[in-house]
Amino acid sequence: MMKKCCYLTIFVLLVHLELLAIQPVNATAKRVVVPQNPADYLSLTYYLNKCPDAEGIIQQKVGAWIQRDFTLAASLIRLHFHDCAVRGCDASILLNYKGSERSSYVSSTLRAFQVIDDIKAELEKRCPRTVSCADILTAAARDATVFAGGPFWEVPFGRKDGRISLAKEAEVVPQGHENVTALIEFFQTKGLNILDLVTLSGAHTIGRCTCGTILNRLYNFNGTKNPDPSLNTSYLNLLKKRCKRSTDLVYLDVITPRTFDTVFYTNLQRKVGLLTTDQELYSDERTLPFVEAMASQPFLFQNQFIVSMTNLGNVQVLTGNEGEIRANCNYVNRR
């Protein structure tokens, strides 16, 4: 009797499951997806009706500036990184007043502010109080990459500008002498991973830095009164010749400084990485495999750079009623 009851129960359950499987699907039912991340509110068509020429204006302006001064390409990418590294991509780095991130010592070598101001002025003529400074900076970094010979990617828009900018907070941005563990931990606080770290470091395929950043590697590494032993000897001698003053500039990629390529990674294999933070990517087992992959597969670097720059541009964005759209990128709107 118990066996019959058991079989009957199983039979009824199977019939019930079969009936559920053949239930007609309601074609009109819509699945409601609630964004879990502020970046989910960004859209590729955000300015389609509000300011359809926005991307074109940004691209044209960036191209004109880089044609006059190629080094601005790297400066725009770096400016975008410094912005997103503090409070997220909210254009807080652009606020210009005493005590702001921009006034910090860490930000003293940042450039390309005039490019953003020029773009903003034109957009305010065409579409007043419509395009945020945060969106401008994000798109400008993308266009700078393209004009330098790097890949193109679609930038989703809808970021709002932050109202807070504090110099002391800018001090957390990596300055070129941190160890890999510190870099990984910093990136993780921004929702970025080790692959993003190695890939975004590849932006150092173009650009320059001041000799003051690397003097310790040349003469007194870690207080030893000797050069950094990880430096290629010939490269060390070259840097000593070029760095007569701390304000002198040297290329981050000594081989192809004006080409967006993967030579940055092969430089690390040859021990000619300029910054300590760059060279250590090749000596740490957590980052080494990614460096070797990028060095040997340029196509991989180009594609991952798109992904990692998109990830960077989505860090802690302000959307909706958060933040504002500044009329002037240098100042918070008057209320």
Side-chain angles (χ1 to χ4, degrees), residues 32-313:
V32 178
V33 179
V34 179
Q36 300 297 311
N37 186 321
D40 294 336
Y41 289 98
L42 302 180
S43 169
L44 296 175
T45 59
Y46 188 81
Y47 293 118
L48 185 61
N49 296 317
K50 297 179 179 181
C51 191
D53 296 329
E55 277 198 274
I57 291 170
I58 296 171
Q59 181 188 53
Q60 185 274 324
K61 289 288 188 181
V62 169
W65 278 95
I66 290 176
Q67 190 172 20
R68 278 179 273 173
D69 181 359
F70 179 80
T71 65
L72 286 171
S75 296
L76 282 165
I77 298 171
R78 183 176 178 227
L79 188 60
H80 176 52
F81 176 79
H82 274 250
D83 179 43
C84 298
V86 183
R87 291 184 172 268
C89 307
D90 65 346
S92 56
I93 190 63
L94 303 179
L95 289 173
N96 190 15
Y97 55 81
K98 186 177 180 180
S100 69
E101 294 168 34
R102 185 169 170 175
S103 69
S104 168
Y105 173 78
V106 175
S107 305
S108 61
T109 56
L110 293 179
R111 302 169 64 234
F113 294 102
Q114 75 276 29
V115 180
I116 305 302
D117 288 340
D118 186 29
I119 296 169
K120 181 61 172 174
E122 183 62 29
L123 286 171
E124 283 300 300
K125 292 178 186 176
R126 304 281 193 93
C127 317
R129 298 292 182 98
T130 302
V131 183
S132 70
C133 301
D135 276 346
I136 292 172
L137 183 51
T138 304
R142 183 271 311 275
D143 292 336
T145 301
V146 174
F147 282 114
F152 172 88
W153 64 94
E154 296 281 0
V155 173
F157 295 114
R159 297 166 190 79
K160 294 297 176 63
D161 300 323
R163 298 188 179 96
I164 300 172
S165 184
L166 302 173
K168 62 181 180 181
E169 293 185 351
E171 295 172 5
V172 303
V173 182
Q175 299 175 46
H177 52 70
E178 294 80 6
N179 59 41
V180 174
T181 297
L183 290 175
I184 291 174
E185 290 175 351
F186 175 79
F187 270 64
Q188 286 176 339
T189 64
K190 306 302 171 186
L192 303 173
N193 57 33
I194 296 177
L195 179 55
D196 291 320
L197 165 62
V198 176
T199 304
L200 293 175
S201 296
H204 291 168
T205 181
I206 56 174
R208 304 173 296 177
C209 88
T210 58
C211 287
T213 306
I214 61 163
L215 284 178
N216 69 313
R217 294 193 74 195
L218 308 185
Y219 300 103
N220 189 26
F221 184 66
N222 289 343
T224 61
K225 296 184 179 181
N226 291 306
D228 183 345
S230 70
L231 267 174
N232 176 288
T233 304
S234 297
Y235 187 45
L236 170 64
N237 293 331
L238 175 65
L239 290 175
K240 284 183 175 180
K241 289 179 181 178
R242 293 186 177 176
C243 288
K244 300 299 183 183
R245 297 176 298 274
S246 62
T247 54
D248 289 338
L249 296 168
V250 283
Y251 286 112
L252 290 161
D253 175 357
V254 68
I255 307 298
T256 58
R258 294 174 63 89
T259 306
F260 196 95
D261 55 24
T262 55
V263 173
F264 165 79
Y265 296 106
T266 57
N267 284 345
L268 302 186
Q269 295 174 321
R270 297 172 53 243
K271 296 186 178 181
V272 290
L274 184 66
L275 302 178
T276 303
T277 47
D278 289 340
Q279 190 58 57
E280 288 197 357
L281 294 176
Y282 189 66
S283 60
D284 191 285
E285 61 182 8
R286 294 166 294 183
T287 50
L288 171 61
F290 295 120
V291 171
E292 293 186 325
M294 299 296 181
S296 62
Q297 302 174 67
F299 183 74
L300 173 63
F301 169 60
Q302 295 263 337
N303 280 275
Q304 185 56 44
F305 194 78
I306 292 173
V307 175
S308 294
M309 282 295 283
T310 300
N311 292 343
L312 175 65

